[in-house]
Amino acid sequence: MRIYTRTGDGGQTSLRWGERVPKNALRVEAYGTVDEANAHIGLAVAFLEPAGAGPLRALLLRVQRELFDVGADLATPPDRERGEQPRVTDQMVARLEADIDELERGLDALRNFILPGGSRAAAALHVARTVVRRAERQLVSLAEREPVDPALLKYLNRLSDLLFVAARAANRASGQPDVIVEWGKRS
């Protein structure tokens, strides 16, 4: 099988069930941004130190698989029969909440804003978090024009929270402290 099809050379792509849309359609932008976030999470996984990060690695790999479900749901036009139930569910959102609670148990209470960064894995997770926030904004814009499954919005909202906490956990696993924002301090 060839990786190239030439069907997108004119600036269009196919949604699920074959409907052709411009590559800059909001729906395509949203699932493309989800794919971008997934790639940043993969980078974070590659940066995780082998010792002490096993559970975090497993959690992030599960999230990466779930993001393919998010993309599949987004690639299904709202006016087309899905042929199956949506892949992203409120139960998945609840699981992210439980994951956040579990990760937070191993962290110091957060009383200040922190700078995004620290270890390479944490920095990549902070980038992924901001990309997920962009996907969420795109999904809100899409929802203003056509029906969007509310579970998708909830999932992306909760995922950005999880990635923030996961970045802190990655710093902790690598022995890096979170850097507190010191307002007005320049150096």
Side-chain angles (χ1 to χ4, degrees):
M1 179 173 111
R2 294 181 306 190
I3 190 68
Y4 58 91
T5 62
R6 299 185 178 117
T7 60
D9 291 352
Q12 292 205 330
T13 191
S14 292
L15 296 178
R16 188 167 181 218
W17 309 119
E19 180 183 337
R20 302 291 290 170
V21 297
K23 287 187 176 187
N24 65 349
L26 269 176
R27 183 170 290 281
V28 178
E29 287 285 344
Y31 71 68
T33 304
V34 167
D35 186 41
E36 182 183 346
N38 202 342
H40 284 291
I41 294 169
L43 182 63
V45 169
F47 284 146
L48 282 173
E49 301 294 330
L56 182 58
R57 179 185 310 276
L59 167 61
L60 293 173
L61 289 171
R62 188 196 85 223
V63 165
Q64 284 192 284
R65 288 187 295 276
E66 289 175 354
L67 285 176
F68 272 87
D69 292 335
V70 171
D73 278 357
L74 283 172
T76 303
D79 58 344
R80 294 297 303 264
E81 175 61 38
R82 289 181 179 274
E84 57 195 35
Q85 294 298 317
R87 292 170 174 85
V88 179
T89 64
D90 286 333
Q91 290 79 14
M92 291 168 69
V93 174
R95 187 167 179 187
L96 288 179
E97 291 172 352
D99 294 331
I100 292 167
D101 294 344
E102 181 63 30
L103 285 174
E104 282 188 318
R105 278 193 264 288
L107 300 172
D108 295 333
L110 189 60
R111 291 176 170 57
N112 301 293
F113 287 99
I114 62 170
L115 296 176
S119 68
R120 291 182 300 178
L125 288 166
H126 279 295
V127 172
R129 172 184 56 80
T130 64
V131 173
V132 168
R133 286 287 190 209
R134 180 166 23 101
E136 184 181 11
R137 291 189 302 271
Q138 291 167 335
L139 200 54
V140 168
S141 294
L142 179 63
E144 290 172 350
R145 296 181 181 183
E146 59 186 71
V148 169
D149 185 341
L152 289 168
L153 281 166
K154 291 179 202 174
Y155 184 90
L156 291 179
N157 188 16
R158 217 64 83 247
L159 178 59
S160 63
D161 295 335
L162 174 96
L163 293 172
F164 177 80
V165 176
R168 294 190 65 219
N171 274 340
R172 176 127 185 166
S174 69
Q176 295 260 0
D178 290 322
V179 179
I180 302 300
V181 172
E182 297 181 47
W183 300 100
K185 186 173 183 176
R186 303 287 182 236
S187 57

